[in-house]
Amino acid sequence: MSQAPGAQPNAPSVYHERQRLELCAVHALNNVLQQQLFSQEAADEICKRPLSQLALPQVLGLILNLPSPMSLGLLSLPLRRRHWVALRQVDGVYYNLDSKLRAPEVLGDEDGVRAFLAAALAQGLCEVLLVVTKEVEEKGCWLQTD
C-alpha cells in the first residue's frame, strides 16, 4: 500500500472541508469541530438569533466588518471592499464610530443599536465581533439566558 508524500503511517483521519463560495466561516467551524455540523443556513440563523439575546450592557463595544462601496470621485464603481466599523455606548447612548463619518452617528438606546445591527446583517456578508472584558468572556454573560 502506497502513502501520499509526507503522510505518516497510521495517521488519524482528519476532517477537512475545502473552500466553496464565500463560506469560509462555515468551513472553519466544521473543520475545528471535525465534522459537518454547520450549513450556511444554520450559521446565518445563529448570527440572527443571538442579536435579540445580546446582553448589551455587558459588551464594551462591537466591531463590524461590512461591504463598502468604492467610488472614484462622484462615480460609483461596481466593486466592494471590506470596511471595519466600531459601535460603542457612551453615557447611555450608542454611537456609530465609523471612521468614514465626519462625526459620530447617534444610534440611541439598545433598540437603536439592535436595529442598526439587524440592518447590517440583512445586507449579508457582515461579521460582528463583540468586545468584552475577560471576566464577561469567561462567564459567557454576553448573552441573556432568559
Side-chain angles (χ1 to χ4, degrees), residues 19-90:
Q19 182 72 28
R20 184 176 61 83
L21 303 173
E22 291 192 13
L23 300 175
C24 51
V26 172
H27 299 312
L29 282 168
N30 289 337
N31 287 340
V32 164
L33 297 170
Q34 284 294 284
Q35 57 184 315
Q36 185 179 2
L37 290 176
F38 290 93
S39 65
Q40 178 182 2
E41 295 78 19
D44 288 346
E45 178 58 31
I46 290 167
C47 288
K48 292 173 185 168
R49 187 183 61 222
L51 184 57
S52 63
Q53 296 175 322
L54 282 179
L56 287 171
Q58 300 295 325
V59 176
L60 288 176
L62 300 103
I63 298 176
L64 284 66
N65 186 256
L66 304 165
S68 180
M70 290 183 60
S71 61
L72 188 60
L74 297 175
L75 178 63
S76 186
L77 301 174
L79 303 172
R80 295 225 178 243
R81 300 187 81 185
R82 306 295 295 172
H83 180 61
W84 293 95
V85 175
L87 307 180
R88 172 74 195 238
Q89 184 247 93
V90 178

Side-chain angles (χ1 to χ4, degrees), residues 7 31 56 67 91 96 105 113 120 122-123 135-136:
N31 287 340
L56 287 171
D91 294 331
N96 174 356
E105 174 186 33
V113 77
Q123 291 179 13
E135 179 183 355
V136 168

Side-chain angles (χ1 to χ4, degrees), residues 127-144:
E127 298 168 302
V128 179
L129 305 175
L130 301 179
V131 181
V132 299
T133 64
K134 184 174 181 173
E135 179 183 355
V136 168
E137 191 274 329
E138 287 173 348
K139 290 181 180 177
C141 58
W142 50 270
L143 281 180
Q144 300 170 0

